[in-house]
Amino acid sequence: MNNKEVVLSGIRATGNLHLGNYYGALSKFVKMQNDYDCLFFIADLHALTTAPDPNALHENVRNILAEYLAAGIDPDKATIFVQSDVPEISEMYLLLNMHVGIGELMRTASFKDKARKQLGLTDDGTDIEKQIIGTDSNKRVNAGLLTYPTLMAVDILIQKAHKVPVGKDQEQHLELTRRFARRFNSFYGVDLFPEPENFNFGDHAVKVPGLDGSGKMGKSEGNCIYLIDEEKVLRKKVMRAVTDEGPKEPNQPVSQPVENLFTLMELTSAPEIVQSYRDAYADCSIRYGDLKKQLAEDILKVTTPIRERYHDIRNDDAFIARVVRQGAERARERAAKTLAEVREIMGIRKFY
Ligand code: TYM
């Protein structure tokens, strides 16, 4: 275990997992656990930045734990833990924040996006900084949202991770993590943190599109196929996906909504099936209804076994408790070691 590269990744506890989470993250976790020293966690503290509902939070953590296990993460191979079970993360978050600029946090795309959403503003070209400073305290953007990238960097750096399997939307956060690691190492003249990289089995990061014709699949977009969607629900969602009127001439360019369906198909279906539909599009014989039926079928092949295991695992309190207790112990041991190094490096030493 010791010579293997360290892999760490997490998912926020904000609901159930969808195909975007699966192809961007979870499916990679399952494959990587055999070859790397892996830690996978549930980011409950990050969930508080946008959804501070105490009743929902705990249940959401349980959902994702059950989904990790149902998808095939093996607690004997990988460390599975809950972020808040490792208090060392919160302390190091405070320390790392001393090396992070407010400006660079404000320029993060996901911050601008979420801050505007929270304030009910549209992107009209006005600087977000001005929009935020002008708001009163009833309509606030919380400081936790601003420092989201610091917390994420700490999750990664405290475990000295080399590889961080995430979807395309998280690449900017990873870039910041590398910058913070470099900055810390060079400011103190140490070689403490490796610079972590995204990990993909193909050659580029995955962006799973939604079914509504535009953008990525995301919880707040309301365009998701969930791993635990019942068969009927899932088929209905796919059959309702946005398309267009169909190709009128051979080899016509593919519109965005239809390309999205092909992208989903490339993730779930066999290459020859995708090719046959691409060919049918090119010679104008394609029937979107058939494509959707095929797509739903192939998605169900992926999701059904996960859904079937999910409910049993979710109700097995003793098993879940065992997994996260063992995970917390392992994750804390490593985190405490790094935190002790960071404190020492920063000059925080005890008199007694
Ligand atoms: P979260 O919960 O937003 O997303 C979890 C993972 O799912 C991926 N993802 C997608 N990938 C492709 N296409 C999509 N449509 C799509 N939607 C979501 C995300 O890229 C992510 O990999 N900040 C992280 C959580 C986190 C974390 C960390 C990750 C906190 N600390 C440390 C890695 C390491 C996040 O937003 O997750």
Side-chain angles (χ1 to χ4, degrees):
M1 194 123 173
N2 278 346
N3 296 330
K4 290 181 182 173
E5 277 190 307
V6 177
V7 169
L8 173 122
S9 193
I11 297 184
R12 276 177 309 148
T14 52
N16 281 106
L17 301 186
H18 50 73
L19 284 185
N21 301 132
Y22 184 74
Y23 286 109
L26 184 55
S27 66
K28 299 193 272 186
F29 301 176
V30 177
K31 282 198 221 161
M32 292 178 90
Q33 65 182 340
N34 297 317
D35 301 317
Y36 297 92
D37 178 5
C38 290
L39 300 108
F40 301 119
F41 71 100
I42 291 109
D44 56 344
L45 299 176
H46 274 109
L48 290 173
T49 62
T50 52
D53 174 345
N55 297 322
L57 184 63
H58 187 66
E59 291 312 307
N60 284 335
V61 174
R62 185 197 297 274
N63 292 346
I64 297 182
L65 272 170
E67 280 163 331
Y68 275 7
L69 294 161
I73 301 182
D74 177 349
D76 292 327
K77 290 184 183 160
T79 297
I80 301 174
F81 68 99
V82 180
Q83 189 181 30
S84 60
D85 277 342
V86 183
E88 289 79 6
I89 292 172
S90 299
E91 184 177 338
M92 189 169 138
Y93 161 66
L94 183 147
L95 298 176
L96 189 64
N97 259 332
M98 307 306 170
H99 288 281
V100 171
I102 300 172
E104 58 192 343
L105 293 173
M106 281 201 168
R107 285 192 293 275
T108 312
S110 62
F111 172 72
K112 290 201 241 180
D113 231 41
K114 289 195 171 127
R116 285 205 174 94
K117 253 185 212 154
Q118 284 190 9
L119 295 172
L121 300 169
T122 45
D123 184 0
D124 62 359
T126 316
D127 283 348
I128 185 79
E129 293 86 341
K130 283 198 192 122
Q131 289 181 314
I132 288 173
I133 288 172
T135 55
D136 62 44
S137 54
N138 295 326
K139 249 184 155 195
R140 63 185 173 270
V141 174
N142 71 61
L145 190 66
L146 180 66
T147 53
Y148 185 116
T150 315
L151 183 57
M152 177 157 164
V154 169
D155 293 328
I156 298 167
L157 300 179
I158 207 164
Q159 301 294 348
K160 299 189 181 172
H162 304 99
K163 294 200 157 46
V164 182
V166 284
K168 195 164 176 51
D169 59 315
Q170 294 298 310
E171 288 202 318
Q172 194 181 19
H173 287 152
L174 263 190
E175 184 58 50
L176 282 172
T177 303
R178 284 192 286 275
R179 198 198 291 167
F180 299 160
R182 263 196 306 277
R183 185 179 295 162
F184 188 95
N185 285 345
S186 84
F187 186 86
Y188 293 106
V190 293
D191 187 19
L192 188 68
F193 299 125
E195 287 185 33
E197 308 239 343
N198 194 356
F199 181 87
N200 297 290
F201 283 92
D203 53 1
H204 56 262
V206 178
K207 177 180 162 192
V208 179
L211 296 169
D212 50 355
S214 64
K216 67 162 189 163
M217 187 175 288
K219 270 168 231 164
S220 50
E221 273 57 62
N223 60 4
C224 295
I225 295 178
Y226 290 98
L227 295 180
I228 59 155
D229 273 344
E230 291 299 330
E231 200 172 319
K232 246 182 156 170
V233 174
L234 192 148
R235 283 187 204 281
K236 218 179 204 171
K237 284 183 180 175
V238 176
M239 294 314 287
R240 282 189 185 154
V242 175
T243 53
D244 57 20
E245 295 166 339
K248 301 272 181 279
E249 303 161 18
N251 301 314
Q252 193 178 307
V254 183
S255 69
Q256 192 59 54
V258 176
E259 191 54 47
N260 288 353
L261 291 182
F262 277 123
T263 303
L264 280 170
M265 209 173 206
E266 269 153 12
L267 290 164
T268 50
S269 307
E272 56 280 10
I273 291 183
V274 186
Q275 195 53 51
S276 72
Y277 282 96
R278 289 245 183 229
D279 293 344
Y281 185 91
D283 68 16
C284 302
S285 66
I286 193 162
R287 293 204 315 216
Y288 291 146
D290 293 346
L291 179 146
K292 289 174 173 177
K293 265 190 211 142
Q294 177 76 47
L295 180 60
E297 217 49 60
D298 290 334
I299 294 174
L300 281 166
K301 278 191 203 133
V302 176
T303 60
T304 304
I306 299 175
R307 189 189 66 238
E308 285 173 355
R309 287 191 289 264
Y310 169 80
H311 294 288
D312 286 342
I313 295 172
R314 197 181 184 288
N315 293 325
D316 191 342
D317 287 343
F319 177 50
I320 289 186
R322 195 156 15 100
V323 167
V324 290
R325 186 182 308 125
Q326 171 185 311
E329 273 168 22
R330 290 195 209 150
R332 279 199 76 175
E333 196 184 317
R334 304 160 67 131
K337 233 172 122 198
T338 309
L339 178 62
E341 290 175 301
V342 168
R343 289 175 63 116
E344 173 64 27
I345 289 167
M346 291 180 77
I348 302 170
R349 293 168 202 154
K350 289 200 186 303
F351 286 98
Y352 55 90

